[in-house]
Amino acid sequence: MSFLSHPSEQHSKLLFVNFNQDSSSLQTGSKTGFKLYPLNSVENLEFTHENNERPNIHLVERLFASSLVALVSSDHPRKLDVCHFKKGSEICNYSYSNAILAVKLNRMRLVVCLEESLYIHNIRDMKVLHTIRDTPPNPRGICALSPHNDHAYLAYPGSVQAGEVQIFDTITLRAVINISAHDNPLAAVAFNPQGTRLATASEKGTVIRVFSLPDGAKLFEFRRGLKRCAEIQCLAFSVDSLFLCTCSNTETVHIFKLEEQKEKPQEDSSWMGILNSTFRTSASYLPAGISDVMNQGRSFATARLPHAGLKSVCTIAPLQKVPRLLVATQEGHLYIYNIDPSEGGECTLLRTHLLEGQAPEHASSADDSCGDRPLTQGGNQDDPTSYAATVRRPQSSSAAEAVAPTGKLRAPPVVPPAEVWKGDKSYADMLKGKNRGGPQEATADINPLSMLDELISEGDSQPYQDPLDGAVGGEENLGALRIHDDSEFPPMSHKS
């Protein structure tokens, strides 16, 4: 979750925090750089990597347990850097026409979310495969990408007036279905690890729904609360898709259990059983709205944060083979709770870890079986001006100079690798291609035995380039970006 658009961010230690695709690690971005934390123990939390060379990192996404990280700095909010953090090498960079609000990764695709468009890159060579333009305004960058190779769906808002979710297949590059999930606009979406279920919440924040994919049928409906609305900040499935957790601007974190209703529950002859049976029967005679409330599921378990109003993200992760609830907050704390998987109820706080302030010498040398989980982008709903609008590139007369006589946009010049942009020129000049400071890909010092192989292809196909209205970058041929599987993750097979 990026905290950049929140006024309280000025007093926060963190600009960004999120979990990886399989909830096995945590990333944080701050004014000094970014850190990666493996999540494998309740008692200990030590970062395995720290980078202080890139300040003001407000988006950090890592590809599972690999060395591939995608970074966005508030100093250059339209520029995406894709890096090999173990080698300290930049693989490539892209610049866009507006601020990057979210970046999502899986083993097949990299998706960049702008306020009114989405760019789908091939993870192997970082080329832009498809652009979804003119999407409904999405100033909070709400979107989700399934981590599964075969069901690599992308979800994003389909309307600004209602809670419609558009599902797009990033492999076939075709729209799948539009789901009418809520009456109010969307606040959060999330896929389960298998890419077969989608959880949604609206800005009202009282009802959580789960749909099956790709048919869009409603499977579950849960009520977070009756007394008050809430700003839902995160939805996350457990690895086995049996639980769904959600956190909001309240002090309560809710966990719902995704289990099918038994065909015929055993009759309870007690007075309470008779009362419950009568209550359920009478619900069918009430108006539809009241009947729906009575039939909605309730929290299986809950956890309490120290106080309300914390910007936070949650997940359920197996730590030492036991499922735990993890909540990371803007103030720089990671809370670990115990969950009773059979009885539920109130979760017990086991440990609180400080995410900022650890000395570098305490970093673990062991490599991580970890990655990153994307989080929901937060937004200041009281401020009509979105963060993307505040950093939108101003229109100028130089735009006409980039138009070729045919009316088509002219691609920026290719810059030799030795002239990689180092930040000594203004970012506006870089975007305009002045002083040969345009973005490009850096491919030096990539070990063939590491996760990212040496970029060796001599092909002359280029990524999509639209200097004034799209992604700019990738002028150097990346070739085939092969990802090795040595102790990182299973082999990948690209689908055409």
Side-chain angles (χ1 to χ4, degrees), residues 171-208:
I171 302 301
T172 63
L173 302 179
R174 293 183 179 180
V176 176
I177 190 173
N178 187 286
I179 301 174
S180 296
H182 302 271
D183 294 332
N184 297 293
L186 288 176
V189 292
F191 288 99
N192 70 330
Q194 295 76 29
T196 57
R197 292 180 175 181
L198 176 76
T200 65
S202 72
E203 289 182 352
K204 190 174 181 181
T206 55
V207 176
I208 310 296

Side-chain angles (χ1 to χ4, degrees), residues 234-410:
C234 178
L235 293 167
F237 287 87
S238 60
V239 175
D240 56 7
S241 298
L242 183 59
F243 298 99
L244 173 69
C245 61
T246 178
C247 57
S248 65
N249 61 339
T250 71
E251 70 279 7
T252 306
V253 180
H254 295 266
I255 300 176
F256 305 99
K257 194 170 186 178
L258 309 179
E259 57 181 358
E260 300 294 338
Q261 188 71 26
K262 295 180 180 179
E263 294 183 2
K264 188 176 181 180
Q266 185 177 0
E267 293 292 336
D268 187 350
S269 58
S270 66
W271 282 106
M272 185 58 69
I274 295 173
L275 182 61
N276 289 336
S277 177
T278 304
F279 185 78
R280 288 193 298 269
T281 303
S282 62
S284 60
Y285 298 100
L286 296 173
I290 300 176
S291 178
D292 289 343
V293 171
M294 291 182 176
N295 292 323
Q296 288 166 346
R298 297 294 186 268
S299 300
F300 171 76
T302 58
R304 300 286 178 178
L305 294 174
H307 53 86
L310 294 177
K311 300 298 179 182
S312 57
V313 64
C314 59
T315 192
I316 297 176
L319 299 184
Q320 298 166 323
K321 300 183 179 181
V322 178
R324 311 288 188 185
L325 172 66
L326 282 70
V327 184
T329 67
Q330 177 186 14
E331 63 178 1
H333 289 98
L334 174 66
Y335 300 98
I336 302 179
Y337 297 84
N338 182 53
I339 305 172
D340 188 331
S342 57
E343 298 298 330
E346 186 74 19
C347 298
T348 305
L349 179 62
L350 299 177
R351 193 83 174 186
T352 301
H353 292 288
L354 185 64
L355 294 176
E356 289 292 315
Q358 297 187 43
E361 58 267 20
H362 293 163
S364 172
S365 60
D367 194 36
D368 21 297
S369 57
C370 41
D372 328 314
R373 185 184 193 84
L375 303 184
T376 307
Q377 183 85 8
N380 187 358
Q381 299 181 9
D382 298 329
D383 185 1
T385 304
S386 68
Y387 166 67
T390 63
V391 297
R392 190 187 306 275
R393 186 195 324 158
Q395 298 295 329
S396 64
S397 60
S398 61
E401 300 174 359
V403 180
T406 59
K408 297 182 179 180
L409 297 174
R410 182 178 298 144

Side-chain angles (χ1 to χ4, degrees), residues 6 13 16 32 34 92 99 111 130 142 199 286:
H6 298 286
K13 294 181 179 180
F16 181 83
T32 59
F34 69 93
C92 63
V111 175
H130 187 77
I142 298 170
L286 296 173

Side-chain angles (χ1 to χ4, degrees), residues 98-267:
N98 204 352
I100 301 171
L101 302 179
V103 179
K104 307 297 179 184
L105 299 170
N106 63 22
R107 296 184 178 103
M108 305 296 289
R109 299 291 183 256
L110 181 149
V111 175
V112 175
C113 177
L114 309 186
E115 186 171 1
E116 296 183 353
S117 58
L118 292 144
Y119 289 84
I120 302 173
H121 295 250
N122 182 11
I123 200 70
R124 294 177 178 274
D125 54 18
M126 299 302 170
K127 295 179 181 178
V128 178
L129 298 177
H130 187 77
T131 304
I132 304 174
R133 297 184 183 276
D134 301 323
T135 61
N138 183 18
R140 297 175 61 188
I142 298 170
C143 65
L145 179 65
S146 166
H148 198 276
N149 286 3
D150 295 331
H151 306 111
Y153 298 128
L154 171 66
Y156 60 93
S159 171
V160 293
Q161 288 83 23
E164 295 182 4
V165 188
Q166 181 66 53
I167 306 299
F168 188 88
D169 192 327
T170 62
I171 302 301
T172 63
L173 302 179
R174 293 183 179 180
V176 176
I177 190 173
N178 187 286
I179 301 174
S180 296
H182 302 271
D183 294 332
N184 297 293
L186 288 176
V189 292
F191 288 99
N192 70 330
Q194 295 76 29
T196 57
R197 292 180 175 181
L198 176 76
T200 65
S202 72
E203 289 182 352
K204 190 174 181 181
T206 55
V207 176
I208 310 296
R209 294 189 172 100
V210 178
F211 301 88
S212 66
L213 296 175
D215 59 4
K218 185 172 69 174
L219 299 177
F220 302 98
E221 184 172 85
F222 302 102
R223 179 159 288 273
R224 186 203 56 81
L226 291 171
K227 294 182 180 179
R228 53 180 174 172
C229 300
E231 178 189 344
I232 302 296
Q233 299 169 350
C234 178
L235 293 167
F237 287 87
S238 60
V239 175
D240 56 7
S241 298
L242 183 59
F243 298 99
L244 173 69
C245 61
T246 178
C247 57
S248 65
N249 61 339
T250 71
E251 70 279 7
T252 306
V253 180
H254 295 266
I255 300 176
F256 305 99
K257 194 170 186 178
L258 309 179
E259 57 181 358
E260 300 294 338
Q261 188 71 26
K262 295 180 180 179
E263 294 183 2
K264 188 176 181 180
Q266 185 177 0
E267 293 292 336

Side-chain angles (χ1 to χ4, degrees), residues 83-101:
C83 305
H84 187 300
F85 73 81
K86 290 181 183 177
K87 299 294 179 181
S89 302
E90 182 181 82
I91 297 170
C92 63
N93 61 58
Y94 278 83
S95 295
Y96 302 84
S97 58
N98 204 352
I100 301 171
L101 302 179

